[in-house]
Amino acid sequence: MENLVLTNEWDKTFAKSDKVDHKKVTFHNRYGITLAADMYIPKNAQGRLSAVAVSGPFGAVKEQSSGLYAQTLAEKGFLTIAFDPSYTGESGGTPRYVASPDINTEDFCAAVDFLSNLENADPEKIGILGICGWGGMAINAAAMDTRIKATVASTMYDMTRVNAKGYFDSEDTKEQRRAKIKSMCHQRTKDYKSGTYALAGGVVDPLPDDAPQFVKDYYDYYKTDRGYHPRSLNSNGGWNVTSSLSFMNMPILQYSSEIDSAVMVVHGEKAHSCYFGKDAFSKLQGDNKELLIIEGANHTDLYDKTDIIPFDKIADFYTKYLK
């Protein structure tokens, strides 16, 4: 396994809480990749606690939104970890800035492996929380891992759908799909020849005057102190462009109707991805599924705005189902 060099100083985009203890931890997934995480434990906690693993948004790192969620849930009594996905942030894996619906779903399951073997975590009371693109990964993990008792997807975003069909399904034709695949396959040839991997994505800069509102929301988050972090893919240029190939024909929510554990989908009323979450929620079966729409909130409001994120309701959901 890889030996990671982790940052010791507090370099988060949010303030450190005096209500929890914090430390860096590592664990590995079944692909042999070592993942880096921040662990948050309520001060003076005793016995085995209900535990929650948090990750996302897509391209972000644990020093941002996922860390804020993890620390806040720890303040409410849970043992939590916020982890960097494979190939991202302080986690291992080469080449850098790669994404995969398979590997990144496995990252959540690996977090459950780790928590299940932690002496101060209850292996029968483990939940996961995915933000934005990792909300879809979290739901996918819940469909295949029966150890996960409760899942929250905040601003849930289906990365396979947006890659295959475009934003708002605007590229949902066979011809458009083939053109995208052909372009990425051509890029693979160029990358192999050059020995480097082209990056794409990130945040458009400068911001066009006619940019859609959701692009402006992203810009406001990643290009200001709210969301910038030097290890974040969305802050420093984007991810491996050919990663999108694996998202084109591997729909992550295909078996979500089989999830028998509890799931909460949280969205902002004005979130551009709200239709992703509503569609995903419509596939879920059972009376332990909840859809929570936050009035007036956009997509990135639920990344880090503590006065808007429904932390109390999320904590109540975990308390109810991590019995």
Side-chain angles (χ1 to χ4, degrees), residues 5 11 33 38 65-66 72 92-93 104 132 169 174 287-288 317:
V5 179
D11 61 347
I33 299 171
D38 287 296
S65 181
S66 61
T72 305
N104 297 138
C132 193
D169 296 340
K174 179 180 178 179
D287 58 5
N288 56 354
F317 173 81

Side-chain angles (χ1 to χ4, degrees), residues 29-288:
N29 66 20
R30 291 176 69 87
Y31 291 97
I33 299 171
T34 301
L35 303 179
D38 287 296
M39 180 182 290
Y40 300 91
I41 305 174
K43 283 189 180 295
N44 303 315
Q46 296 181 350
R48 291 195 160 192
L49 304 178
S50 298
V52 180
V54 189
S55 195
F58 187 90
V61 288
K62 63 188 181 306
E63 287 74 24
Q64 299 171 295
S65 181
S66 61
L68 173 63
Y69 272 73
Q71 179 176 261
T72 305
L73 288 173
E75 290 179 333
K76 297 180 181 298
F78 300 92
L79 182 154
T80 64
I81 58 171
F83 67 88
D84 286 330
S86 296
Y87 310 106
T88 304
E90 291 188 304
S91 286
T94 54
R96 303 303 293 167
Y97 308 147
V98 172
S100 160
D102 183 23
I103 295 176
N104 297 138
T105 298
E106 159 63 18
D107 289 341
F108 268 116
C109 296
V112 176
D113 293 341
F114 172 72
L115 292 174
S116 296
N117 286 279
L118 205 61
E119 63 179 11
N120 50 348
D122 189 331
E124 299 301 321
K125 299 179 180 180
I126 294 176
I128 60 174
L129 192 155
I131 305 164
C132 193
W134 256 247
M137 304 297 182
I139 292 177
N140 198 39
M144 63 183 290
D145 195 329
T146 58
R147 299 170 301 171
I148 298 169
K149 299 302 189 293
T151 301
V152 173
S154 182
T155 69
M156 203 294 297
Y157 199 79
D158 185 346
M159 294 302 300
T160 54
R161 180 172 174 176
V162 74
N163 277 281
K165 299 184 178 184
Y167 281 106
F168 307 106
D169 296 340
S170 60
E171 301 172 351
D172 190 16
T173 69
K174 179 180 178 179
E175 292 74 22
Q176 290 170 314
R177 178 179 166 84
R178 288 307 289 179
K180 287 192 288 185
I181 291 175
K182 184 176 181 179
S183 174
M184 283 183 279
C185 289
H186 178 64
Q187 187 62 51
R188 285 189 62 139
T189 303
K190 293 174 62 176
D191 289 349
Y192 190 90
K193 183 176 182 179
S194 68
T196 61
Y197 294 90
L199 300 180
V203 178
V204 59
D205 191 19
L207 185 69
D209 292 336
D210 60 350
Q213 184 58 48
F214 72 89
V215 175
K216 294 178 181 178
D217 293 339
Y218 280 136
Y219 186 92
D220 179 57
Y221 179 72
Y222 284 110
K223 286 296 182 181
T224 67
D225 290 342
R226 287 182 58 209
Y228 176 81
H229 195 279
R231 289 193 292 273
S232 167
L233 279 65
N234 291 318
S235 298
N236 62 22
W239 52 88
N240 185 325
V241 62
T242 55
S243 292
S244 296
L245 270 172
S246 62
F247 287 87
M248 296 290 287
N249 62 353
M250 295 177 65
I252 57 176
L253 302 180
Q254 184 171 354
Y255 296 102
S256 57
S257 62
E258 298 181 4
I259 300 174
D260 56 13
S261 58
V263 178
M264 172 186 274
V265 177
V266 182
H267 264 308
E269 180 188 24
K270 298 180 180 179
H272 75 278
S273 65
C274 197
Y275 78 105
F276 282 124
K278 289 180 178 178
D279 284 357
F281 182 79
S282 69
K283 299 177 183 178
L284 302 175
Q285 305 294 316
D287 58 5
N288 56 354

